[in-house]
Amino acid sequence: MASFVPQAYLIHLKGSDLDRKDGPFKKSDPYLIFKRNGTEIFKSEVKKQTLDPDWQDFELDVGACGGLEGALLMECWDWDETGGDDFIGSVQLTLKDLTIRGNDFKLHNSKIVRPFYKHSGKIVVESSKPLETSKRAASQPSSQPNYGQPMIQPAYGQPQPPHGQLPPQGYAAPQGQPAYGQPPHPGQPAYGQPPAPQAYGAPPPHGHGHPAQPAYGQQPPAPGYAVQPPYGQQPPPHGYAPPPQGHAAPQGGYPPQPAYGQPHPGQPAYGQPAPAYGAPPPQGYGQPVHAAPGHSPSHDHKDKKDKKDKKDKKDKDTKKKMGKFFGAVLDVADALT
């Protein structure tokens, strides 16, 4: 089980046999400074004309010290009215070292080079008391709840309060939504309860959730007022309308179709070239080719036969005339001879 770490410690320190910085016949005016990574986190009051100062209780924040094991530098200075304070000595320690009563820390000054120099005095821990809540933190409002208290959160979608100010107590639900812990919207199950079963094809419940969708194949209504049914007609039931059942066959049924892989009548077989550009489309597939008004295919065939008969008769007549002509020429030649 993890040990409890307080937020701060109330510490009482004393000095012992500090160096004289105002001359051989005068005492020092010592004060303490605590630093974390070069940043000052605490400065004590000045004790006038003493080499064994007894400072007032002061408070060190655990977070500011980097935790109990964070490295700290404790410096002791001699105050001077002219503003040029003199350095007495310093020592490296941790907050955990300061929590042990009776611990003493020797101050060292690297600038002192006198013979037989050992240290510049001692700092002794007289007492140390953990604090659950810092006095300074208790005097200022905080947005963090006490241990075991619920977190205070602003309403969803609302801006955060300025730094140092507390948001309103409790969790404010968005507009139109039930507050946390209140009964849900009508038709919705309570928190942690399974939803109520619905019959197959039954319309979905209205209220909280997605809006009703238009029926299959229907266009959604335009934004604005809802579309009203014609006067005297009942509005359609809510929910999803069943899809239309296929398409009705034309009167008389569909015409017979060729077998799979066979071309339609009048169409080229698979892989065969299509008719040339401008050529009349083949008969069969598509719209039928109608004859000109007053004509039929049988009439065209009869006309062609009549033309052929006339031509054959004319050729016979021509041959007869030519035969008679050549016969007459032969008769004249015989008479001359």
Side-chain angles (χ1 to χ4, degrees):
M1 180 177 180
S3 59
F4 171 73
V5 178
Q7 295 185 7
Y9 279 88
L10 188 65
I11 301 173
H12 184 188
L13 298 180
K14 285 186 177 182
S16 173
D17 196 20
L18 301 182
D19 281 352
R20 299 174 184 266
K21 291 299 180 179
D22 294 335
F25 302 104
K26 292 185 179 181
K27 298 180 180 181
S28 299
D29 303 321
Y31 64 91
L32 296 175
I33 293 179
F34 287 85
K35 293 182 179 180
R36 165 71 177 166
N37 295 330
T39 302
E40 181 180 312
I41 60 175
F42 175 75
K43 182 178 180 179
S44 73
E45 79 279 6
V46 177
K47 291 297 182 179
K48 297 290 188 71
Q49 292 299 305
T50 178
L51 300 180
D52 302 305
D54 186 0
W55 288 285
Q56 296 179 2
D57 293 355
F58 62 93
E59 189 177 316
L60 284 181
D61 187 80
V62 176
C65 295
L68 294 177
E69 302 292 343
L72 300 176
L73 177 65
M74 180 175 64
E75 298 178 345
C76 187
W77 291 78
D78 173 51
W79 177 80
D80 198 335
E81 290 182 347
T82 61
D85 296 352
D86 300 317
F87 180 67
I88 296 177
S90 64
V91 62
Q92 294 279 351
L93 45 76
T94 65
L95 180 58
K96 185 177 181 180
D97 297 331
L98 294 172
T99 62
I100 302 175
R101 181 180 179 182
N103 269 5
D104 61 339
F105 309 96
K106 297 177 180 179
L107 301 174
H108 295 276
N109 189 343
S110 60
K111 295 182 179 181
I112 299 178
V113 292
R114 67 174 180 256
F116 308 107
Y117 172 77
K118 294 183 179 180
H119 55 79
S120 297
K122 295 181 181 179
I123 304 296
V124 181
V125 179
E126 284 294 312
S127 65
S128 178
K129 178 182 178 182
L131 298 177
E132 182 176 350
T133 304
S134 171
K135 294 180 180 179
R136 290 169 295 181
S139 63
Q140 299 176 0
S142 173
S143 60
Q144 297 295 330
N146 295 330
Y147 182 78
Q149 299 299 322
M151 178 69 73
I152 300 173
Q153 295 290 345
Y156 177 78
Q158 300 298 324
Q160 296 288 337
H163 181 70
Q165 295 186 11
L166 290 175
Q169 297 292 329
Y171 179 86
Q175 185 177 6
Q177 300 292 334
Y180 180 78
Q182 299 300 320
H185 287 276
Q188 297 295 324
Y191 179 77
Q193 299 298 324
Q198 297 182 10
Y200 178 78
H206 294 284
H208 184 67
H210 294 284
Q213 300 296 324
Y216 178 80
Q218 302 295 326
Q219 295 294 331
Y225 292 101
V227 179
Q228 300 296 328
Y231 179 77
Q233 295 186 13
Q234 295 294 330
H238 295 290
Y240 296 96
Q245 302 296 328
H247 298 280
Q251 188 175 4
Y254 290 103
Q257 300 295 324
Y260 178 77
Q262 300 298 324
H264 285 271
Q267 295 294 322
Y270 180 77
Q272 299 298 323
Y277 178 77
Q283 300 295 324
Y285 183 76
Q287 299 295 331
V289 179
H290 298 283
H295 291 80
S296 65
S298 58
H299 291 166
D300 293 340
H301 181 71
K302 184 177 180 181
D303 292 343
K304 290 180 180 180
K305 185 177 180 181
D306 293 342
K307 291 181 179 180
K308 184 178 180 181
D309 294 341
K310 290 180 179 180
K311 184 178 180 182
D312 293 342
K313 184 178 180 181
K314 184 177 180 180
D315 292 341
K316 290 181 180 181
D317 294 340
T318 303
K319 289 180 180 180
K320 288 181 178 179
K321 290 180 180 180
M322 292 297 293
K324 292 180 179 180
F325 174 77
F326 283 112
V329 171
L330 292 175
D331 294 336
V332 171
D334 291 339
L336 292 175
T337 57

